[in-house]
Amino acid sequence: MLALGLFLSIHASNALPSQDMAIHIVTAEQGHLRQLQRDEAELLFLGRRTTAADGTPVILIDLPAGPIRDRFYLLLTGKNPQQTRAYWSRQVFTGRARPPLEAHSIEQAIEWLLQTPGTVAYLPASNGDARLRVLMRLQ
């Protein structure tokens, strides 16, 4: 039993992002968006807005369910994973909003950012890419 507990704690600590891991909200370097305010980002990622402050349509990308997504929503909205899932279930059920497109990986999210104008995603800061513009840093 002790060995199982040790095994689970080691794997859980490896799976969770560090509490000081920064997350960047990004778009393509060639994209129209130059910056994003925190309140604007929160409205966008909660489906309460679909356009940037200047009226430009924005397509949002979520990373797969897991510790990076959980940390992002906690840092941006203050919602834990259960609250985030419940929130989106209500939005979808009532027809008020649709959640961001879900990429299967960080690599796919970057590919979509580079291929589709107006896309915005979040990535661990450690996944910096010169082809991407950081709109906001969360930590």
Short mmCIF file of all heavy atoms in Angstrom, two decimals, residues 22-47:
data_model
loop_
_atom_site.label_atom_id
_atom_site.label_comp_id
_atom_site.label_asym_id
_atom_site.label_seq_id
_atom_site.Cartn_x
_atom_site.Cartn_y
_atom_site.Cartn_z
N ALA A 22 4.55 29.81 -15.97
CA ALA A 22 3.84 30.88 -16.66
C ALA A 22 3.13 30.31 -17.89
O ALA A 22 3.60 29.37 -18.52
CB ALA A 22 4.81 31.97 -17.08
N ILE A 23 2.02 30.91 -18.19
CA ILE A 23 1.26 30.56 -19.39
C ILE A 23 1.07 31.83 -20.20
O ILE A 23 0.74 32.89 -19.65
CB ILE A 23 -0.10 29.93 -19.03
CG1 ILE A 23 0.13 28.59 -18.32
CG2 ILE A 23 -0.98 29.76 -20.27
CD1 ILE A 23 -1.12 27.86 -17.90
N HIS A 24 1.32 31.73 -21.49
CA HIS A 24 1.16 32.87 -22.39
C HIS A 24 -0.10 32.69 -23.23
O HIS A 24 -0.38 31.60 -23.71
CB HIS A 24 2.35 32.98 -23.35
CG HIS A 24 3.59 33.43 -22.69
ND1 HIS A 24 4.82 33.35 -23.29
CD2 HIS A 24 3.83 34.00 -21.48
CE1 HIS A 24 5.74 33.82 -22.49
NE2 HIS A 24 5.17 34.22 -21.39
N ILE A 25 -0.82 33.77 -23.41
CA ILE A 25 -1.90 33.82 -24.40
C ILE A 25 -1.26 34.38 -25.65
O ILE A 25 -0.61 35.43 -25.61
CB ILE A 25 -3.08 34.68 -23.92
CG1 ILE A 25 -3.67 34.09 -22.64
CG2 ILE A 25 -4.14 34.78 -25.02
CD1 ILE A 25 -4.81 34.88 -22.04
N VAL A 26 -1.39 33.66 -26.76
CA VAL A 26 -0.63 33.98 -27.97
C VAL A 26 -1.50 34.01 -29.22
O VAL A 26 -2.60 33.46 -29.25
CB VAL A 26 0.52 32.97 -28.18
CG1 VAL A 26 1.52 33.03 -27.04
CG2 VAL A 26 -0.01 31.56 -28.35
N THR A 27 -0.95 34.63 -30.25
CA THR A 27 -1.53 34.63 -31.59
C THR A 27 -0.35 34.59 -32.56
O THR A 27 0.81 34.69 -32.14
CB THR A 27 -2.42 35.86 -31.83
OG1 THR A 27 -3.17 35.69 -33.02
CG2 THR A 27 -1.61 37.15 -31.90
N ALA A 28 -0.64 34.46 -33.84
CA ALA A 28 0.44 34.47 -34.83
C ALA A 28 1.10 35.84 -34.87
O ALA A 28 0.43 36.87 -34.74
CB ALA A 28 -0.12 34.12 -36.21
N GLU A 29 2.41 35.86 -35.03
CA GLU A 29 3.16 37.12 -35.10
C GLU A 29 2.60 38.02 -36.19
O GLU A 29 2.57 39.24 -36.05
CB GLU A 29 4.65 36.83 -35.35
CG GLU A 29 5.51 38.07 -35.42
CD GLU A 29 5.52 38.90 -34.14
OE1 GLU A 29 5.58 38.33 -33.04
OE2 GLU A 29 5.47 40.14 -34.27
N GLN A 30 2.16 37.44 -37.29
CA GLN A 30 1.61 38.21 -38.41
C GLN A 30 0.14 38.60 -38.21
O GLN A 30 -0.44 39.26 -39.06
CB GLN A 30 1.74 37.41 -39.71
CG GLN A 30 3.17 37.01 -40.03
CD GLN A 30 4.12 38.19 -40.10
OE1 GLN A 30 3.77 39.24 -40.64
NE2 GLN A 30 5.30 38.04 -39.55
N GLY A 31 -0.44 38.19 -37.09
CA GLY A 31 -1.87 38.43 -36.84
C GLY A 31 -2.19 39.88 -36.54
O GLY A 31 -1.31 40.71 -36.29
N HIS A 32 -3.47 40.18 -36.55
CA HIS A 32 -3.98 41.54 -36.35
C HIS A 32 -3.87 41.99 -34.88
O HIS A 32 -3.57 43.15 -34.60
CB HIS A 32 -5.43 41.60 -36.82
CG HIS A 32 -6.09 42.92 -36.57
ND1 HIS A 32 -5.75 44.05 -37.27
CD2 HIS A 32 -7.04 43.29 -35.68
CE1 HIS A 32 -6.48 45.07 -36.84
NE2 HIS A 32 -7.27 44.63 -35.86
N LEU A 33 -4.13 41.09 -33.94
CA LEU A 33 -4.12 41.46 -32.52
C LEU A 33 -2.72 41.82 -32.06
O LEU A 33 -1.76 41.12 -32.36
CB LEU A 33 -4.64 40.31 -31.66
CG LEU A 33 -6.14 40.11 -31.58
CD1 LEU A 33 -6.45 38.87 -30.78
CD2 LEU A 33 -6.81 41.32 -30.97
N ARG A 34 -2.62 42.91 -31.31
CA ARG A 34 -1.34 43.36 -30.79
C ARG A 34 -1.23 43.15 -29.29
O ARG A 34 -0.16 42.99 -28.74
CB ARG A 34 -1.13 44.85 -31.10
CG ARG A 34 -1.02 45.11 -32.57
CD ARG A 34 0.33 44.63 -33.06
NE ARG A 34 0.46 44.82 -34.49
CZ ARG A 34 0.95 43.90 -35.30
NH1 ARG A 34 1.34 42.75 -34.84
NH2 ARG A 34 1.06 44.14 -36.58
N GLN A 35 -2.36 43.21 -28.59
CA GLN A 35 -2.37 43.03 -27.14
C GLN A 35 -3.76 42.56 -26.71
O GLN A 35 -4.71 42.62 -27.48
CB GLN A 35 -2.01 44.32 -26.42
CG GLN A 35 -3.00 45.45 -26.64
CD GLN A 35 -2.57 46.71 -25.92
OE1 GLN A 35 -1.56 46.74 -25.23
NE2 GLN A 35 -3.33 47.77 -26.07
N LEU A 36 -3.83 42.11 -25.48
CA LEU A 36 -5.09 41.62 -24.93
C LEU A 36 -5.08 41.96 -23.45
O LEU A 36 -4.11 41.65 -22.74
CB LEU A 36 -5.16 40.11 -25.14
CG LEU A 36 -6.49 39.41 -25.05
CD1 LEU A 36 -7.50 39.97 -26.05
CD2 LEU A 36 -6.31 37.92 -25.32
N GLN A 37 -6.10 42.62 -22.99
CA GLN A 37 -6.22 42.93 -21.57
C GLN A 37 -6.80 41.73 -20.84
O GLN A 37 -7.51 40.92 -21.43
CB GLN A 37 -7.12 44.16 -21.38
CG GLN A 37 -6.63 45.42 -22.04
CD GLN A 37 -5.27 45.84 -21.51
OE1 GLN A 37 -4.98 45.75 -20.32
NE2 GLN A 37 -4.41 46.28 -22.42
N ARG A 38 -6.52 41.62 -19.57
CA ARG A 38 -6.97 40.47 -18.78
C ARG A 38 -8.49 40.30 -18.82
O ARG A 38 -8.99 39.21 -19.04
CB ARG A 38 -6.49 40.60 -17.35
CG ARG A 38 -6.86 39.40 -16.51
CD ARG A 38 -6.42 39.56 -15.06
NE ARG A 38 -6.67 38.34 -14.37
CZ ARG A 38 -5.82 37.32 -14.31
NH1 ARG A 38 -4.65 37.41 -14.89
NH2 ARG A 38 -6.13 36.23 -13.66
N ASP A 39 -9.24 41.37 -18.60
CA ASP A 39 -10.69 41.26 -18.60
C ASP A 39 -11.22 40.85 -19.97
O ASP A 39 -12.17 40.07 -20.08
CB ASP A 39 -11.36 42.54 -18.10
CG ASP A 39 -11.02 43.76 -18.93
OD1 ASP A 39 -9.98 43.77 -19.62
OD2 ASP A 39 -11.79 44.74 -18.87
N GLU A 40 -10.60 41.34 -21.02
CA GLU A 40 -10.99 40.97 -22.38
C GLU A 40 -10.71 39.49 -22.63
O GLU A 40 -11.54 38.77 -23.19
CB GLU A 40 -10.21 41.84 -23.38
CG GLU A 40 -10.60 41.62 -24.81
CD GLU A 40 -9.79 42.50 -25.75
OE1 GLU A 40 -8.82 43.16 -25.32
OE2 GLU A 40 -10.14 42.51 -26.94
N ALA A 41 -9.55 39.01 -22.20
CA ALA A 41 -9.20 37.59 -22.36
C ALA A 41 -10.19 36.71 -21.61
O ALA A 41 -10.63 35.68 -22.12
CB ALA A 41 -7.79 37.34 -21.87
N GLU A 42 -10.56 37.12 -20.41
CA GLU A 42 -11.52 36.34 -19.63
C GLU A 42 -12.87 36.28 -20.33
O GLU A 42 -13.47 35.21 -20.44
CB GLU A 42 -11.67 36.94 -18.23
CG GLU A 42 -12.53 36.10 -17.32
CD GLU A 42 -12.55 36.58 -15.88
OE1 GLU A 42 -11.76 37.48 -15.51
OE2 GLU A 42 -13.37 36.06 -15.11
N LEU A 43 -13.34 37.39 -20.83
CA LEU A 43 -14.61 37.41 -21.56
C LEU A 43 -14.56 36.50 -22.79
O LEU A 43 -15.51 35.78 -23.09
CB LEU A 43 -14.99 38.83 -21.96
CG LEU A 43 -15.36 39.78 -20.83
CD1 LEU A 43 -15.52 41.20 -21.36
CD2 LEU A 43 -16.62 39.31 -20.12
N LEU A 44 -13.45 36.55 -23.50
CA LEU A 44 -13.30 35.71 -24.69
C LEU A 44 -13.29 34.23 -24.33
O LEU A 44 -14.05 33.43 -24.90
CB LEU A 44 -12.02 36.07 -25.45
CG LEU A 44 -12.04 37.38 -26.22
CD1 LEU A 44 -10.62 37.77 -26.63
CD2 LEU A 44 -12.95 37.28 -27.43
N PHE A 45 -12.45 33.84 -23.38
CA PHE A 45 -12.31 32.43 -23.05
C PHE A 45 -13.48 31.86 -22.25
O PHE A 45 -13.58 30.65 -22.08
CB PHE A 45 -10.97 32.16 -22.35
CG PHE A 45 -9.84 31.99 -23.32
CD1 PHE A 45 -9.03 33.05 -23.66
CD2 PHE A 45 -9.62 30.77 -23.94
CE1 PHE A 45 -7.98 32.90 -24.58
CE2 PHE A 45 -8.60 30.60 -24.86
CZ PHE A 45 -7.78 31.67 -25.18
N LEU A 46 -14.38 32.73 -21.80
CA LEU A 46 -15.63 32.25 -21.19
C LEU A 46 -16.80 32.35 -22.15
O LEU A 46 -17.94 32.13 -21.78
CB LEU A 46 -15.92 33.01 -19.89
CG LEU A 46 -14.99 32.70 -18.73
CD1 LEU A 46 -15.32 33.57 -17.52
CD2 LEU A 46 -15.04 31.22 -18.36
N GLY A 47 -16.51 32.70 -23.40
CA GLY A 47 -17.56 32.73 -24.42
C GLY A 47 -18.51 33.90 -24.30
O GLY A 47 -19.56 33.92 -24.94
#
